[in-house]
Structure formats: structure tokens, C-alpha cells
Amino acid sequence: MEQKRYGHFDDQHREYVITDPQTPWPWINYLGNEDFFSLISNTAGGYSFYKDAKFRRITRYRYNNVPMDNGGRYFYIVDESNLNSQTSNLKPTIWNPGWKPCKTPLDFYECRHGMSYTRITGRKNGVEASVLFFVPLKKWCEVQKLTLKNESSEVKQLKLFSFEEWCLWNAATDMENFQRNFSTGEVEIEGSTIYHKTEYRERRNHYAFYHVNAPIQGYDTDRESFVGLYNEFADPQAVVEGKPRNSHAHGWSPIASHYIEVTLQPGESKDFVFLLGYIENEQDEKFEAPQVINKKKAHALIAELDTTEKVDKAFAELCEYWDALLNIYKVRTGNDKLDRMVNIWNQYQCMVTFNFSRSASFFESGVGRGMGFRDSNQDLVGFVHQIPPRARQRIIDIASTQFPDGGCYHQYQPLTKRGNNDIGGGFNDDPCWLIFGTVAYIKETGDFSILDEMVPFDNQPGSEVTLFEHLKISMDHVINNLGPHMLPLIGRADWNDCLNLNCFSWDPNESFQTTENVSEGTKAESLMIAGLFVVTGKDYVQLCKQLANRPLTSHPSPLTSSFFAEEANRMQQAVDAMIDAVKKHGWDGEWYLRAYDFYGRKIGSNECDEAKIFIESQGWCTMAEIGAEEGLVAKSLDSCKKYLECEHGMVLNNPAFSKYIYEYGEISSYPEGYKENAGIFCHNNPWVIIGECIAGRGNDAWSHYAKILPSYVEEKYQTLHKVEPYVNCQMVAGKDAFKPGEGKNSWLTGTAAWMWYTVSEFILGIKPDYDGIRIDPCLPETASDYTVNRKFREAEYDITIHPNGQQKGVKSITLDGNPIDGTVIPYSPGKHTVEVTM
Ligand code: GLC
Ligand code: GLC
């Protein structure tokens, strides 16, 4: 096994430290927490956008480029101190702190990815250049604080060039509509600030700027003038010649580059604050003179960050913000690999997936998908404890894209919050996830008032009903769409976007996900939705029982206690009926079936030639405990170990499909071992792990968990794994793949939230509940005592757990020294100490 390492964790600073710029793939980080965002790689590649990576792209980025990850915010340092006409060395040393794009070998390189910031440091010939990149809280800009330090004993005369390339706002048309794009570009230059104002004259009321807090001796705003048509980012002509062109872009490709001459005495260091900002103006305040943009807001923003002190303060605030967020759930187990994932990286990735859903990463181009209905509800569960009000708003936004029959848009755009017509709806698992997300929110906050919020259908004003009504029709959507076995009809697909049982496509130009060549008369049913329905149905019943004691008061007709009591009853019956249907028609002998196809034939059965067993239905039906008494749960979990598990995790199905099956769709289009065709789709491993926890099998739960836990992978095989070792990726190539263990599609994956939900609630066993915190760990026998410090609403609990070699089962709990009945610590504000004996 390859053992090369490219970096290591620094837990004290909550950083991952990359020590070799030539990582097996760009290892990235995210900057920004709310409106202004950037992606940044370990060599400073990437881009920025405001709210929406498709509609408000600020800087340009070329995906799948050659070389990979070319383009970003680059600083070029031209050091002429080694020029010597006697030795005929006439070429200055030109280098970048992040090694790329010049790739001049550095004397030292380090990239520290931290919580919403990245610090890249390079050293060459006695000069150190260190750049701190971050987006200050509540500000629409990326700060790049560059510190140049002369560590040599000679005076250094340096030439510094900055570089950013503007995107013409809409990232999709920016890459295709060149007959227009090459004529629209417009900029303004004022002092040390370069403004990008393409299309500002007409329907846009926003512009961007790139500023530095020092006088400049030149600039460039036209790409070809700066780079040269036959040069590259690695050797821009202006840089190579050490001479800016002072170009003014008119059309073509506008960029922003500052030129600064820097003299550094031995030991001297200087800071430069570069700011990449975004501004919106009111329609009637767009211009300060004909054709001249109103720069008032830009000036104000610059003034807030124009000194090292102001920037350092903004950075300290960002760090405090993360301190507070990561102080909400803190574990101490003594196992660094577990603690760092729980306390730092898993929670961090949850924030990132909450912010971006599946829109912008180095695998998601930012133009394809907005916020997914099911994805965002799941992401929320990993984030709700961090900033509940944002989760609340998200639930309302998501529910606003639902249709009156309970179906929903599969995706929406973050900028407009409107449902996405290109993809539409018809994914029959979608509605259930709204319950999953909402219940998590209420349990965390105790805020039942969210159910009283008036929420429209398909964003149509006038169509509002309460959020509770949205939950009700979500459940009903499943009940109203049952197939011949009384199991849920699958629609276009369930959670597995690639199991397309009504698609029937022989046409490569058709999308698997939006094509339903035949759906009339379909019998295609999903056992995954069946399990999901039982789990969320039980949640719904429990919620109604809560509401029976605190009826909803407001709009438009108040719902009474007796309504909720009846509703709980009604849904319990539907859940029981579903459980019966699964036991009757969904059990294959050793595991749960996956589905019935269009014709009513079994999918995921021992009778099938390939793909005899699938993970999704094992996960959901074991979480739902369907047939636990009859031993079905234990058998299903054993089958996961026997048929799905491998060195790197559990594969999605086994054996892999070796040919395209017209009746199944996209799943069988992938090569063996990749993606939904028997890849280790990390997202669904936690479902089985939770199933294990509910069944009390702590050793098995832990062994599955550790296999896909990044910190374990980090230690074992960085080269093979390829993608960032500090976060989960969506897919690791499965046992049937050409290269088992190779990871792909890092960062934006439901895995983050599910790993968090699994470890925080089911393994470590700290579960928010309506009336307090339920304690129910499920651990490997080897677990030693551990503590969890949990802030919960207005309370803080210091919880110590003594496992005593038990995998499951709490024997006794004391709260502030007094024994309590049961396993729920009743909520009360203030600080509390809890001791748990298993
Ligand atoms: C992707 C999608 C998610 C889907 C999964 C399985 O991660 O974002 O919605 O459930 O693939 O197909
Ligand atoms: C593809 C992928 C799947 C993803 C979907 C999103 O089908 O295989 O993982 O969810 O695209 O559109």
C-alpha cells in the first residue's frame, strides 16, 4: 500500500496542513459563511461568487482544465536580485507563494486549510510570502492579506503582480456565448482599485472590484495584454518582462492585476491587503456620473478593511465565530482520530454542505444543480445545532417549492429560491425528507412555532398553508401513491437518482433523471421509500402526539388537540400497514428487496443475476426496525457484512451490474464499482451503521464507521484515496472497481450530515428530543469513558459516559448528582452535570 503523505492534521489550530503542493488532486477549502463565497485549492486556484455559483459568479474558473486547477487568485513575485550579467544570468526568479502557476521550486511550501480560511506560505531565495485568505463575517468580499518578509541579509527589490480573472456573472453563458461575451466587458480604474462593471449599464445593478491598500505603479485589466495570446498563467508576458501594460479592457476578457514595486530591508516585512469585493446598488443610485458607477459602497467596504489591524480584527472575529459554533458539541474520548472528526472536520463539512447543497465544488461546476429538496433537508440535520435560525429559514424555503399534492421540485436556485423547471419533480422520496428535517429542527430548538408559519406552494403568493399542512401532505403523498404490493411507487427515482424504473431509454441524448418514456401503468415500487416512510412516519406520529398537548394556535383555522390525536392514529395505521407490506412483499430471505420494477418483478433479490442485494433498503428497513422481532433486522445487517462490506466500506449493490439494463436506467450505465453501480456511496453507509446501533451491535457499527472516517483514511492511504483526507467524499471506488479505494466527488455529499447524525446521536448517543436530551450510546466493547459537552437551547450539559465494556443499554443516569428515571435528561436552562453508567 502506498504510504506517501502530503500533509497532516493540526488539531490545536483546527487546520489541515499540506506540505507538498503536488497533492494527488487539488485539495480545497471553502471561504465565506453566508452570502459571499470562495473555493480555494492548496495552490490558490478556484473562484468566488455571491450567493449563487451559477447566476453571480464573480471570478472565472475553467473546470477540467489542462493542467487541472489552473486559474485562481495568483500573486507573482519577481525577484531580480540574482540577475548577474557576468554569469549571464539574465532571468529573474519568478515564483508564487502557492507554487502554481509558475511552479518554480520553492524552498518551503505550506498550505493550512482552517475553518473558513486558508493560509498559503511559500519561501524562495530568502523571501517569505504568506497569504491569508478569508471572507470576513457579514461582508461581501474576500480578503487576501499578503505578508512579504525579507529573511535574507540583503536588500530585496521585488516586483509584485496580483491576478484575478473576471467572470461575466452568469457562469453558464460565460462559458458558451462568446459572440456576445467578447464585446461586453467593461472596467473602471480608480487609484488602487479595479472595478468590473460588465452589463452594469443595463439590467444589472451589481459590480465587483479588486483593491489593494497600497499605491500601485501599474495595472492590467485586459487579459491578452497581460498574459499574451501565446503565453500562459505560468508565464504572463507582463510578469516575465517585469512591466505592466496599464491596459484598459474593452470587451474580450477583463481581468484585474495590480503591479507594486516593493523594497524590503533585511529582516523587514510588509503587509498588503487585497480585497475582492461585490457591491449592489439601488436602481436609482447606480451611477455617480453618466457611465460612471457609483462607488460609494465600495469605498465604504474598502475603508472597513484597509489596514492590517482592521483585517486582523475581522479575522479574529471569524475565529471566534467558529469557536462558538464548535463549542456546541465537544467530545473527549482520547482517540484523536475520532475527536478531530467530531469536534472539527465533520461539523465543518456539515456547514459547507448546508451552504452549498450540491452546487459548487471541484466536482460540481456550480452551473448544474442548485439546492436539492432531499439533499438540503438531510444537510440540515448536520447543521441545525450550529445556527438554528438559518435552518429554520431553509425549511421554509424548501417547503415553498412543494406542490399542493405533496410532490415537490427536486431542486431550486439559491438566488431566486424558485423551483428548477429543468429537472421538475416526481422523485417520490422527496416529500418524506421534509419531515426528517423539520423534526430535527424542532427537537433541537423546541420551537414548535415553525409549524404555524404560512408557506406557499410553488412560491405562488396566495397559496399559503401552515408548514404543518406541508408535512401532512408529504406523508399523504406516499400514502396516495402506493403500488400493487401496497409499497410506495418510486416515481422517477427515490434517493438513488440512478434507479430509473420508468425511464426506458435507448437514446443517449435523454436525461435518465427527467425522462419517463413509460410510466402509465407502472408497478415500480421502492423498499427504500417504504423504510423511509416508516421512519419518518413514526416521527410524524410522535410529533402529532406532542402537538395534541400544545395545539397550533394561529392560521387560518387553529388545529385542536383532538385533531392531532386522530392524526397520530391515522398515521400510525398507515405506518403499520407499510410494515406489514414490507414483511409480506419486501423480504427476500436473507435481506430486504430493493424494489419492484415496472412489470412488478423483483429488484435486489437472490433470484436476480446481478445486483442481488442493495444497501439502501437494508439501511432504511433496519432503521425502521421492520421485522426486528422475527429476526429480519439482524439477518439484513449480517448480509450487509457478508455481501456489501469490503476494506474501504460498504458498496451500494452486489454484484455490480456488468451490462446496461434498459428497465433499470442509469445505475447500470456505470462501470462496475463506480458511483451508484457498486461504488461505496458513503452517504448510505451511515444508514446501515444506524441500523446496527439501533440493533445494539456496537462493534459492527464502529467497524463500519471507522472504515469511511476520513481521519482513518488519512492515516492509511492518501495517494490511493486521492481527494482531501479531511472530509468525506461522495464515492469511494468499490471492490469491483479497477482501483478500489480511490475517492471521488469530495465535500458536497449527504455523507457529512449522516456521519454527524450517526456519531453524535447514535454512537456517542446524545440525542436532542422534544423534552430534553436522550442518552443512548452504542459503542464498541473497547470504548473507554468519555465526555460530551453539549450546549442545548439555553442549557449546557457536561455528560460523562462510563461504558463498562457494554455495547448498548443505559443502566443509570444522574443529573447534577440526582438519579433520574428513564434515559431522557429533562431540559432545563443552565449548566448541568450528567453521569451515565451503561
Ligand atoms: C447524489 C444526489 C442525491 C442522490 C444521490 C444518489 O448525491 O445529490 O440527491 O440521492 O446522488 O443518487
Ligand atoms: C448522476 C449521479 C448521481 C447524482 C445525479 C444528480 O445521476 O450518478 O449521483 O445524484 O447525477 O443529477
Side-chain angles (χ1 to χ4, degrees):
M1 185 64 56
E2 298 138 291
Q3 285 296 333
K4 181 164 165 53
R5 294 169 68 86
Y6 300 86
H8 55 87
F9 287 101
D10 175 346
D11 294 337
Q12 199 198 334
H13 296 100
R14 300 195 193 116
E15 292 170 335
Y16 193 81
V17 188
I18 301 166
T19 48
D20 179 344
Q22 299 186 64
T23 47
W25 195 252
W27 286 2
I28 74 162
N29 194 13
Y30 286 83
L31 314 176
N33 297 296
E34 238 164 301
D35 294 328
F36 189 106
F37 296 108
S38 302
L39 278 64
I40 182 166
S41 71
N42 57 307
T43 55
Y47 60 93
S48 303
F49 59 94
Y50 170 78
K51 278 192 184 168
D52 193 313
K54 178 175 183 179
F55 289 129
R56 284 292 184 282
R57 187 75 67 92
I58 295 170
T59 53
R60 181 174 288 155
Y61 190 71
R62 295 170 189 79
Y63 275 89
N64 202 4
N65 206 351
V66 178
M68 195 63 203
D69 186 30
N70 233 23
R73 56 297 263 170
Y74 290 142
F75 293 106
Y76 296 90
I77 297 166
V78 183
D79 184 348
E80 294 177 341
S81 57
N82 60 341
L83 293 189
N84 186 333
S85 48
Q86 271 148 24
T87 63
S88 61
N89 183 0
L90 302 175
K91 278 198 178 161
T93 306
I94 303 177
W95 59 285
N96 315 101
W99 184 63
K100 279 187 79 170
C102 295
K103 295 191 281 182
T104 306
L106 299 175
D107 302 331
F108 174 82
Y109 159 90
E110 185 183 85
C111 167
R112 288 178 171 262
H113 285 318
M115 303 290 105
S116 301
Y117 69 88
T118 287
R119 195 192 296 272
I120 296 180
T121 305
R123 247 179 252 146
K124 186 72 189 170
N125 295 349
V127 175
E128 181 181 276
S130 189
V131 199
L132 172 67
F133 300 91
F134 71 101
V135 173
L137 294 173
K138 309 268 173 216
K139 295 207 192 336
W140 294 353
C141 62
E142 176 183 305
V143 170
Q144 306 160 354
K145 183 182 127 185
L146 166 69
T147 306
L148 287 175
K149 187 167 181 210
N150 182 358
E151 295 180 333
S152 77
S153 49
E154 282 137 43
V155 178
K156 287 278 183 185
Q157 306 275 5
L158 306 173
K159 293 175 172 175
L160 173 68
F161 293 84
S162 68
F163 177 81
E164 297 267 9
E165 182 175 5
W166 302 115
C167 179
L168 307 185
W169 306 119
N170 180 325
T173 57
D174 184 68
M175 291 188 294
E176 59 187 29
N177 193 3
F178 301 107
Q179 59 80 26
R180 174 175 169 85
N181 296 351
F182 284 159
S183 293
T184 56
E186 289 190 293
V187 299
E188 280 182 38
I189 300 135
E190 181 199 60
S192 299
T193 314
I194 295 162
Y195 292 88
H196 176 225
K197 60 170 187 177
T198 300
E199 290 189 348
Y200 188 79
R201 62 172 68 211
E202 21 114 19
R203 298 173 302 173
R204 294 189 184 275
N205 60 358
H206 53 89
Y207 61 81
F209 66 84
Y210 194 36
H211 165 86
V212 58
N213 71 340
I216 57 175
Q217 285 77 50
Y219 59 84
D220 272 293
T221 67
D222 173 63
R223 191 183 65 202
E224 271 67 54
S225 306
F226 178 75
V227 177
L229 192 56
Y230 299 98
N231 290 46
E232 304 171 20
F233 288 145
D235 61 353
Q237 264 180 10
V239 176
V240 170
E241 290 169 24
K243 248 191 264 145
R245 297 346 192 196
N246 295 337
S247 59
H248 197 121
H250 295 278
W252 301 112
S253 297
I255 59 155
S257 171
H258 306 95
Y259 169 73
I260 306 176
E261 292 169 355
V262 188
T263 305
L264 289 176
Q265 301 301 320
E268 192 188 5
S269 86
K270 275 187 187 158
D271 290 337
F272 299 89
V273 179
F274 290 84
L275 277 193
L276 177 72
Y278 171 86
I279 300 292
E280 285 182 355
N281 277 334
E282 292 300 319
Q283 191 61 29
D284 53 359
E285 290 177 359
K286 275 176 72 170
F287 298 97
E288 62 186 40
Q291 306 234 353
V292 181
I293 58 177
N294 181 346
K295 303 182 184 63
K296 222 193 265 160
K297 287 189 184 170
H299 292 160
L301 178 52
I302 289 167
E304 289 173 41
L305 291 158
D306 59 355
T307 65
T308 299
E309 293 69 38
K310 291 180 192 173
V311 165
D312 290 349
K313 188 160 164 274
F315 182 60
E317 283 165 10
L318 178 69
C319 296
E320 281 160 26
Y321 169 85
W322 272 105
D323 279 344
L325 289 181
L326 297 179
N327 267 333
I328 296 167
Y329 191 121
K330 264 169 98 169
V331 70
R332 257 179 299 133
T333 65
N335 172 351
D336 289 346
K337 290 202 277 293
L338 177 61
D339 291 1
R340 71 168 61 108
M341 290 318 297
V342 174
N343 294 335
I344 306 171
W345 293 97
N346 192 180
Q347 296 201 56
Y348 183 57
Q349 189 179 5
C350 283
M351 160 78 95
V352 170
T353 57
F354 177 84
N355 283 337
F356 300 105
S357 194
R358 308 293 168 266
S359 65
S361 71
F362 269 31
F363 293 84
E364 299 278 9
S365 63
V367 301
R369 301 201 266 169
M371 314 293 284
F373 194 99
R374 75 158 86 90
D375 294 336
S376 291
N377 272 305
Q378 292 171 78
D379 295 343
L380 189 140
V381 171
F383 171 81
V384 62
H385 65 291
Q386 295 185 14
I387 312 180
R390 286 189 64 201
R392 190 182 205 274
Q393 185 58 49
R394 177 65 56 80
I395 290 170
I396 309 270
D397 291 347
I398 296 173
S400 305
T401 65
Q402 200 168 21
F403 302 117
D405 74 347
C408 13
Y409 273 110
H410 196 47
Q411 289 158 14
Y412 70 94
Q413 278 310 126
L415 191 71
T416 60
K417 297 188 177 179
R418 298 283 158 145
N420 198 332
N421 278 316
D422 298 342
I423 178 113
F427 296 78
N428 283 352
D429 63 315
D430 272 339
C432 292
W433 297 110
L434 187 61
I435 305 193
F436 183 65
T438 308
V439 163
Y441 169 79
I442 300 175
K443 285 187 174 171
E444 178 67 36
T445 57
D447 170 21
F448 286 84
S449 78
I450 188 173
L451 296 171
D452 255 334
E453 288 292 333
M454 296 301 282
V455 182
F457 293 114
D458 190 8
N459 280 292
Q460 294 307 312
S463 67
E464 292 83 359
V465 299
T466 61
L467 179 66
F468 179 79
E469 188 70 24
H470 281 266
L471 300 191
K472 179 166 175 284
I473 62 168
S474 296
M475 294 309 299
D476 286 338
H477 190 266
V478 178
I479 298 172
N480 295 336
N481 290 281
L482 297 178
H485 300 97
M486 299 310 280
L487 294 166
L489 290 172
I490 198 168
R492 284 187 179 168
D494 60 23
W495 172 87
N496 190 333
D497 277 335
C498 300
L499 191 60
N500 317 115
L501 302 182
N502 299 306
C503 178
F504 297 100
S505 179
W506 281 118
D507 176 353
N509 300 322
E510 286 174 344
S511 144
F512 282 112
Q513 260 130 71
T514 55
T515 304
E516 286 176 47
N517 281 327
V518 199
S519 56
E520 195 74 26
T522 185
K523 298 179 187 162
E525 297 168 298
S526 161
L527 266 301
M528 181 267 157
I529 304 182
L532 175 65
F533 177 82
V534 173
V535 171
T536 50
K538 287 181 189 170
D539 283 342
Y540 180 89
V541 168
Q542 216 195 352
L543 178 66
C544 288
K545 287 184 178 161
Q546 287 283 326
L547 291 167
N549 302 323
R550 49 184 128 207
L552 295 180
T553 46
S554 47
H555 338 266
S557 46
L559 295 174
T560 61
S561 294
S562 60
F563 164 82
F564 285 117
E566 276 165 36
E567 184 64 2
N569 232 331
R570 178 178 81 96
M571 202 52 65
Q572 186 61 52
Q573 285 170 21
V575 166
D576 293 342
M578 189 68 77
I579 292 174
D580 285 346
V582 174
K583 287 197 211 169
K584 221 156 139 196
H585 302 292
W587 181 252
D588 195 55
E590 264 188 283
W591 55 78
Y592 302 96
L593 289 177
R594 174 63 176 88
Y596 284 96
D597 75 5
F598 182 93
Y599 307 100
R601 295 180 303 214
K602 291 176 185 171
I603 295 183
S605 161
N606 207 14
E607 295 164 18
C608 303
D609 293 337
E610 296 182 331
K612 290 167 182 283
I613 170 172
F614 283 76
I615 199 169
E616 302 98 324
S617 43
Q618 313 318 316
W620 281 99
C621 294
T622 58
M623 279 195 263
E625 297 181 273
I626 298 175
E629 325 76 52
E630 296 94 324
L632 307 194
V633 166
K635 269 194 202 150
S636 156
L637 294 170
D638 288 343
S639 294
C640 291
K641 281 183 20 184
K642 196 158 154 200
Y643 302 107
L644 301 178
E645 195 181 15
C646 70
E647 187 193 345
H648 308 286
M650 283 174 280
V651 298
L652 192 146
N653 53 292
N654 183 254
F657 292 103
S658 64
K659 52 183 180 299
Y660 176 56
I661 305 179
Y662 169 67
E663 293 88 346
Y664 286 14
E666 184 169 3
I667 188 164
S668 56
S669 72
Y670 283 114
E672 293 88 326
Y674 293 96
K675 291 286 286 181
E676 281 88 342
N677 184 16
I680 298 159
F681 218 91
C682 301
H683 187 143
N684 51 37
N685 276 234
W687 299 346
V688 173
I689 303 172
I690 293 176
E692 292 278 9
C693 289
I694 294 175
R697 302 165 30 141
N699 291 338
D700 291 329
W702 176 260
S703 105
H704 287 310
Y705 175 72
K707 278 193 174 165
I708 60 166
L709 195 64
S711 51
Y712 279 80
V713 174
E714 194 262 356
E715 196 182 58
K716 227 164 99 190
Y717 46 90
Q718 299 195 354
T719 310
L720 171 64
H721 188 68
K722 209 166 178 162
V723 290
E724 296 88 337
Y726 35 92
V727 291
N728 273 110
C729 56
Q730 181 205 50
M731 192 231 23
V732 174
K735 54 184 171 179
D736 310 290
F738 175 69
K739 232 190 202 185
E742 187 177 65
K744 283 183 195 154
N745 199 0
S746 51
W747 282 99
L748 301 186
T749 161
T751 314
W754 278 101
M755 287 295 272
W756 172 253
Y757 187 52
T758 300
V759 71
S760 66
E761 299 200 17
F762 292 90
I763 294 179
L764 299 171
I766 314 295
K767 297 183 189 191
D769 211 330
Y770 295 112
D771 302 314
I773 290 189
R774 183 180 297 280
I775 310 285
D776 185 17
C778 184
L779 305 160
E781 282 161 347
T782 49
S784 11
D785 291 4
Y786 63 96
T787 63
V788 175
N789 185 269
R790 179 66 155 95
K791 300 213 168 66
F792 180 66
R793 304 180 197 168
E794 303 295 312
E796 182 178 339
Y797 296 95
D798 232 319
I799 306 165
T800 305
I801 310 226
H802 309 280
N804 295 322
Q806 302 300 312
Q807 297 185 50
K808 177 102 166 177
V810 167
K811 256 204 208 110
S812 64
I813 301 181
T814 62
L815 170 63
D816 300 322
N818 306 310
I820 60 162
D821 287 336
T823 53
V824 179
I825 310 166
Y827 169 70
S828 72
K831 273 193 147 205
H832 304 283
T833 311
V834 178
E835 293 278 334
V836 179
T837 310
M838 293 177 61

